[in-house]
Amino acid sequence: MKLVERDTELSVLEGLLDACAAGRGGAVVVGGAVGSGKTALLRAFRERAAPTGALWLQATAAAAEKDVPLRVAGQLLRSAELAGEGAEPVVWLPPPAGGGGAPVRAAAGAIPAEVAVNVVPRVCGILFAQARKRPVVVCIDDVHQADAYSLECVLYVVRRLAVSRILVVLGESGGTAWEDSPARRELLRGPACRFLHVGPLPRDGVVAMLAAGQKGRRSAPPVAEFHRLSGGSPLLMEALLDDYADAERAGAAGPVPGEAYERAVAQCLSRSDDVTRRTAWLLAVLGERAAHGGPAELLGVSRQAGERALRALHDMGLLADGRFRHEAGRTAVLRRAEPPRSARLEARVAQVLYEHGASATALARHLVAAETVDAPWALPVLLKAAEAALARDEVGTALDCLRVARESCADEQQLLEVRLALVRAGWRVDPSAAVRHLSALTEAAPAGRLTARAMRELVGHLLWFGRADDALEVLRVVEEGEEEGCTGVGLESVRFWFAYGYPGLAGKYRAEVAAGPYRGTAAGARAPGLTPEQDTQQRALALMASVLDQRVTGDVTGRAERILQETRPEDRTPAAGLAALVALIVADGLPEAARWCEILLAEAREHRTPMWQSLFASAKAFIEIRLGELAAAEESAHTALTVVPPEGWGAAVAAPVAALLYTKAATGRLDEAVAHLKVPVPDASFRTPAGLLYLWARGHYQLAAGRPYAALEDFHRCGDLMARWRLDLSGLVPWRTDAAQVHVALGDDRRARDLLEEELVRTGRRPLWTRGVALRVLASLAERAERPRLLGEAMDILQRGGHRLELAYAMAELSYSYWDVNDDSRARIAARKAQQLMRECGIKAPVLKSSPVGAVSACPPERSGAGCAGHPPAELSGAELRVATLAARGYTNRQIAAALFITISTVEQHLTRAYRKLGVQRRTDLATRLEPDTVEDSGLDGCGDGAQRDCLRAG
């Protein structure tokens, strides 16, 4: 800091130094506010004293070292390398643990008499010895922070100044407890000591500072405004000049306090004492309302201490007439100053703010910090603040308010209200934290201690955690208490989620929902008398219901997109977004579903609601599974269970676990899949659509693990539940085609064909993706000549819908069918495409080095021994022939399974039937029953010369 307008003070100090050189020692206390330029004045005085030859001993006290004995005295001696000088070294003694004689003074900071008698004279003796050689200046800045031992040394020297050439210069900051200390009083009472006040800069000083920084500026700065804002503080003036330079470059005409000013305010506070900092914080929080009780009363300090802190803030240029000179000063205190950790103070502040009509949000900050406030107004304020925080997506703030409300609530009825609010807020972060409140709320519902709105909310939370029976009882209580015609949208929404969340338990609500207000909006019409948020949610739920009930007409994808597009993000509830996504997924609008899922997921992240993030991540995983993006699906499902752990998912946990289970099974990582089977899935999940997804995924795992009968059980259980719930939609869970594939693998072609024909009848001629899958599986049962046509139609449907994994399977089947008719070129092309698609989907497709299908030129001879050259054995199906051919060539069951994209168990079953039909007992006998040129061993790494026609290298 550059020294300005301090010539008078420097003259006084130079006069004292001249007297010291003449043998009249003295002492001076240089006092002023923080940032007033005391340190700059002392540095300037040091420069003036250097030519006189005086020995300058410098020390700066610090609050962090106030309890370290003789810390300041040690700095003084080390500054001139005097410590230990002479024949007798200085011995630093800490306070004796057991006493050491009566203390020198009774005040706080007293030192043992032994130290005062033995140590202090020896330390000060070094100074007196130096003073006999030349004048000595002992300069201690921030003396109010010095340790008690060093202060005793200063007093020892000051008492003996009359006979020494020592000048003691002490810099102190005003507004601290040091002003009333016994040590300071003794200093100022001494005849050789005087006080030198460093006050704020006058107007001329401000002009001088502005002139020094005027170079390069286009216009003269407004002196009066700088003087008013800085309060004459050199530190604040320098900061304002820095901010003024930035503001002038931006086109501002006058000083605008900015970052530099804020840093300077923070520096002032950091160098002030605790009472001053707390007073500044209190004034920043309360403003003019602080006058209601006064800082001293609110802070719980003496009136004298409170007045001293106010004076210090005025002197350092922050306040004028008890108010901050600029709003930037108040903002800087709130942003930079650490709030005092005093529950009592926070409670007092909250009381003052409440009496002056502060908002619930402003009050809540102090109520939370106070932890408990015994006032009747506190609980309603906390509940209101929590609700406002949830509206701003500040869930953590809401939970803090509710935690304090619960701890300070003595009334049982009010406690129920707090519990419900905790459940509502906690669900958005981690619902598992809300479980412990549900029992008390459920018990209170039949007793009439909850409002209808509270019970409607409670039903939703009970359903989430699988307590459907309890939810049904609470819903009956609500229905009994509802007046005719006053059910409202809230109750209809509860019935909706009951009807479609637990379709087997509350089937009667399906009819009520279909006939209720959702019927009119199912076609896209807007319902009157609703807020935009309610209207969006009702239209989305109506569309989802019409899709699930299979009564939808028109373009579902277009209608779902219109609902989402025509809604402002703030009016688009997560529930509405989830309902629209379900409608898009079931209706096979996958590209649109993927795009909107990304948008909704981003909005959930922006609103900082982990539960909705997890729900949309789970929906995204199933979209990606159907699109064949298995790696992305695995990541999305993992995110869903990471953002909110499994225990927070309630009955819905089955959905993200199912996504992980399927992706691991589809990519062949069965050991990893087992870990997901160990995740606890409650029984209640199997009363929900999420349970259907889990059964479907587990069926695929069982099939991949070589347990086809267990897989069939899961797929058929899906079908039974869906039929019972009247939710038999292939777009939800394609259980028929999955079960048919297992029946084909087991050789039960009749049952497989029945399921596939049933599926094709249900889809009609509509190009649904499930029809494409059904055609693919049906092709394996068709005549060889018919297979390419069926597979071609299947691939057209699957390609249009974006189902790349199913398209890859169909392409692989097409490759086999071409081999069956000896069309090697097309077979190779189809195989390459299939493997490329599989790699894109995340499946490590094997490289086929021999034809996986029946590219044979002869069949085994009849049992009578007669041959039937030119034809494959009539008894074997295409799948059996492919497996038998590769087995005869020396492939292991595992290699055959990898080559044909089937399980090892399926390979074993095909071989068993082939053995029976061909009348052989062992693997080595297969070659004798097939045409020699067909089964000629080409080795595992390539085809033999005699089998070039059968060699396929895809990729």
Side-chain angles (χ1 to χ4, degrees):
M1 183 186 297
K2 185 176 181 180
L3 193 64
V4 177
E5 289 289 320
R6 301 302 184 200
D7 293 338
T8 301
E9 291 84 351
L10 278 173
S11 297
V12 171
L13 293 173
E14 288 175 346
L16 291 172
L17 181 58
D18 291 340
C20 174
R24 299 188 305 275
V28 58
V29 176
V30 181
V34 173
S36 61
K38 301 183 302 298
T39 301
L41 175 65
L42 297 180
R43 281 200 296 265
F45 177 46
R46 182 175 185 174
E47 293 175 2
R48 298 280 183 96
T52 66
L55 175 63
W56 187 279
L57 303 180
Q58 176 70 44
T60 300
E65 300 175 342
K66 195 168 185 176
D67 295 328
V68 181
L70 296 171
R71 174 64 75 185
V72 171
Q75 282 190 57
L76 290 171
L77 299 180
R78 281 191 292 271
S79 67
E81 299 182 355
L82 298 178
E85 181 176 318
E88 186 177 10
V90 176
V91 180
W92 308 102
L93 292 177
V104 173
R105 60 183 82 249
I111 63 175
E114 180 182 347
V115 176
V117 171
N118 296 325
V119 178
V120 171
R122 294 159 73 182
V123 173
C124 296
I126 298 174
L127 302 181
F128 290 121
Q130 291 297 320
R132 287 192 289 271
K133 303 175 185 177
R134 51 183 169 170
V136 176
V137 179
V138 176
C139 181
I140 303 176
D141 200 5
D142 290 336
V143 69
H144 55 284
Q145 312 240 35
D147 62 275
Y149 291 72
S150 297
L151 285 175
E152 195 61 38
C153 292
V154 171
L155 292 173
Y156 185 93
V157 172
V158 170
R159 295 183 195 117
R160 295 160 178 77
L161 287 176
V163 293
S164 67
R165 292 192 299 170
I166 298 177
L167 174 61
V168 178
V169 182
L170 306 174
E172 68 169 19
S173 292
T176 67
W178 158 259
E179 290 184 356
D180 301 322
S181 67
R184 186 175 186 273
R185 285 198 297 269
E186 182 178 343
L187 277 171
L188 294 178
R189 279 200 306 263
C193 185
R194 62 179 297 177
F195 181 76
L196 183 61
H197 178 61
V198 180
L201 291 175
R203 190 177 189 279
D204 290 343
V206 173
V207 171
M209 289 192 72
L210 290 173
Q214 179 65 26
K215 297 178 181 179
R217 294 217 165 92
R218 298 186 297 272
S219 58
V223 177
E225 186 66 8
F226 271 97
H227 194 207
R228 182 187 72 81
L229 291 175
S230 67
S233 165
L235 178 63
L236 297 181
M237 264 299 300
E238 285 191 346
L240 287 169
L241 283 171
D242 290 341
D243 288 333
Y244 180 56
D246 296 336
E248 193 177 36
R249 283 192 291 269
V256 179
E259 284 294 323
Y261 182 83
E262 185 175 313
R263 288 193 298 271
V265 171
Q267 186 178 348
C268 288
L269 295 178
S270 67
R271 292 166 56 187
S272 302
D273 67 355
D274 181 63
V275 177
T276 303
R277 287 194 296 270
R278 293 166 65 194
T279 301
W281 175 84
L282 186 66
L283 293 174
V285 171
L286 297 179
E288 297 179 6
R289 292 171 293 218
H292 177 75
E297 180 182 349
L298 293 172
L299 291 171
V301 299
S302 67
R303 184 188 184 102
Q304 183 180 13
E307 292 175 350
R308 187 170 59 231
L310 281 174
R311 185 174 67 251
L313 293 170
H314 276 83
D315 292 345
M316 69 178 65
L318 293 181
L319 302 183
D321 299 325
R323 304 175 184 174
F324 284 94
R325 291 178 177 272
H326 193 277
E327 182 64 20
R330 177 176 175 271
T331 303
V333 172
L334 292 175
R335 289 180 58 184
R336 299 275 185 162
E338 183 178 357
R341 294 184 176 89
S342 170
R344 184 179 177 186
L345 173 60
E346 296 285 2
R348 288 174 173 172
V349 169
Q351 182 67 44
V352 172
L353 290 174
Y354 174 75
E355 292 172 355
H356 285 77
S359 68
T361 299
L363 289 168
R365 286 195 292 268
H366 304 288
L367 291 174
V368 169
E371 295 184 353
T372 55
V373 177
D374 187 15
W377 54 266
L379 183 61
V381 164
L382 287 167
L383 291 175
K384 186 176 180 180
E387 187 175 354
L390 284 179
R392 299 190 305 271
D393 298 316
E394 298 174 0
V395 183
T397 300
L399 289 173
D400 288 340
C401 292
L402 295 171
R403 173 183 54 80
V404 175
R406 182 189 60 198
E407 293 172 355
S408 59
C409 182
D411 182 77
E412 188 64 28
Q413 187 63 34
Q414 291 178 327
L415 183 58
L416 289 173
E417 187 177 355
V418 174
R419 286 183 183 278
L420 185 63
L422 279 167
V423 172
R424 185 188 309 127
W427 188 89
R428 296 172 65 169
V429 181
D430 182 2
S432 62
V435 174
R436 62 179 180 272
H437 303 293
L438 292 181
S439 295
L441 291 169
T442 304
E443 293 173 3
R449 294 163 56 198
L450 295 180
T451 64
R453 177 188 174 188
M455 286 190 286
R456 289 197 297 267
E457 285 190 47
L458 177 59
V459 169
H461 294 300
L462 289 171
L463 288 176
W464 178 261
F465 286 106
R467 297 174 59 173
D469 296 325
D470 290 338
L472 192 57
E473 289 300 319
V474 175
L475 183 55
R476 286 171 183 160
V477 174
V478 179
E479 292 174 331
E480 291 171 2
E482 287 285 342
E483 296 180 3
E484 187 175 351
C486 299
T487 55
V489 176
L491 186 56
E492 291 299 333
S493 177
V494 170
R495 286 172 176 157
F496 179 93
W497 289 116
F498 220 132
Y500 293 96
Y502 287 81
L505 182 66
K508 70 168 188 173
Y509 291 125
R510 290 275 288 279
E512 293 182 16
V513 168
Y518 292 98
R519 182 176 184 179
T521 53
R526 295 179 181 272
L530 299 180
T531 64
E533 182 177 290
Q534 292 172 333
D535 175 69
T536 301
Q537 181 160 312
Q538 184 162 302
R539 291 167 63 205
L541 293 178
L543 178 61
M544 186 183 86
S546 65
V547 170
L548 294 179
D549 289 339
Q550 304 181 63
R551 50 186 173 79
V552 65
T553 57
D555 181 14
V556 174
T557 301
R559 282 166 52 192
E561 286 209 280
R562 279 196 300 273
I563 291 173
L564 296 172
Q565 287 172 345
E566 295 171 2
T567 310
R568 298 179 306 168
E570 56 267 29
D571 295 331
R572 189 163 52 232
T573 65
L578 195 61
L581 283 179
V582 171
L584 285 170
I585 294 171
V586 175
D588 203 30
L590 296 184
E592 295 80 5
R595 182 168 60 85
W596 276 105
C597 196
E598 289 286 358
I599 294 172
L600 294 168
L601 190 54
E603 290 177 1
R605 292 193 191 101
E606 183 179 347
H607 291 308
R608 302 186 299 278
T609 50
M611 191 65 248
W612 283 114
Q613 292 179 44
S614 293
L615 283 169
F616 288 130
S618 181
K620 184 170 180 281
F622 283 99
I623 295 169
E624 289 162 342
I625 284 174
R626 293 198 175 180
L627 289 172
E629 300 170 1
L630 298 184
E634 180 182 344
E635 182 179 353
S636 296
H638 178 75
T639 298
L641 289 173
T642 301
V643 175
V644 174
E647 54 269 20
W649 275 83
V653 71
V657 172
L660 279 174
L661 184 58
Y662 177 85
T663 55
K664 297 294 176 64
T667 52
R669 292 174 292 163
L670 301 184
D671 291 341
E672 296 179 32
V674 171
H676 301 302
L677 287 173
K678 296 178 181 178
V679 175
V681 176
D683 293 340
S685 296
F686 300 100
R687 305 167 83 177
T688 72
L692 299 176
L693 297 174
Y694 185 86
L695 290 171
W696 166 79
R698 191 174 67 182
H700 280 278
Y701 163 79
Q702 302 284 21
L703 186 60
R707 295 190 283 271
Y709 292 103
L712 265 184
E713 183 178 353
D714 280 337
F715 292 145
H716 280 292
R717 186 181 173 191
C718 268
D720 293 341
L721 290 174
M722 294 171 76
R724 192 185 315 158
W725 297 346
R726 292 182 292 122
L727 276 179
D728 196 357
L729 292 95
S730 299
L732 185 61
V733 176
W735 70 272
R736 288 183 180 83
T737 52
D738 291 331
Q741 292 182 77
V742 182
H743 283 300
V744 169
L746 292 173
D748 190 350
D749 295 354
R750 183 189 60 78
R751 181 60 180 142
R753 191 181 299 275
D754 290 344
L755 287 170
L756 294 172
E757 289 177 352
E758 184 180 350
E759 178 65 33
L760 293 173
V761 169
R762 292 175 62 84
T763 60
R765 302 302 301 174
R766 291 174 295 168
L768 298 179
W769 72 279
T770 52
R771 175 179 175 81
V773 178
L775 290 172
R776 172 179 69 79
V777 181
L778 186 62
S780 64
L781 303 175
E783 296 295 332
R784 292 188 180 189
E786 185 69 8
R787 290 175 191 169
R789 183 190 66 79
L790 293 174
L791 292 171
E793 182 181 352
M795 289 189 295
D796 287 342
I797 295 173
L798 296 171
Q799 190 165 18
R800 283 199 300 271
H803 297 262
R804 291 192 302 165
L805 183 57
E806 289 294 344
L807 179 62
Y809 291 149
M811 191 69 71
E813 290 286 349
L814 183 63
S815 170
Y816 303 152
S817 68
Y818 282 141
W819 278 109
D820 280 343
V821 295
N822 295 332
D823 192 340
D824 297 7
S825 177
R826 288 186 179 181
R828 292 189 182 93
I829 293 172
R832 281 196 292 270
K833 290 181 179 179
Q835 292 189 329
Q836 178 62 32
L837 282 170
M838 288 183 182
R839 282 192 292 268
E840 292 173 0
C841 292
I843 295 178
K844 296 179 180 179
V847 176
L848 306 182
K849 297 183 178 180
S850 294
S851 170
V853 291
V856 291
S857 59
C859 67
E862 299 293 336
R863 293 184 184 275
S864 62
C868 47
H871 301 282
E875 307 97 310
L876 299 185
S877 67
E880 292 164 352
L881 180 59
R882 289 192 291 269
V883 170
T885 301
L886 292 177
R889 290 178 177 174
Y891 282 86
T892 66
N893 287 0
R894 183 176 298 278
Q895 290 171 322
I896 295 171
L900 300 182
F901 309 108
I902 57 179
T903 67
I904 296 175
S905 175
T906 302
V907 172
E908 293 170 349
Q909 294 162 26
H910 285 322
L911 283 176
T912 299
R913 288 193 294 273
Y915 290 167
R916 185 180 68 250
K917 292 179 181 180
L918 295 176
V920 298
Q921 299 295 324
R922 293 180 300 276
R923 195 183 199 91
T924 53
D925 295 337
L926 286 172
T928 65
R929 302 290 289 154
L930 297 174
E931 188 71 17
D933 64 338
T934 300
V935 299
E936 180 178 332
D937 187 5
S938 60
L940 297 179
D941 297 324
C943 298
D945 295 336
Q948 292 297 322
R949 184 174 62 83
D950 299 330
C951 181
L952 168 64
R953 183 181 298 275

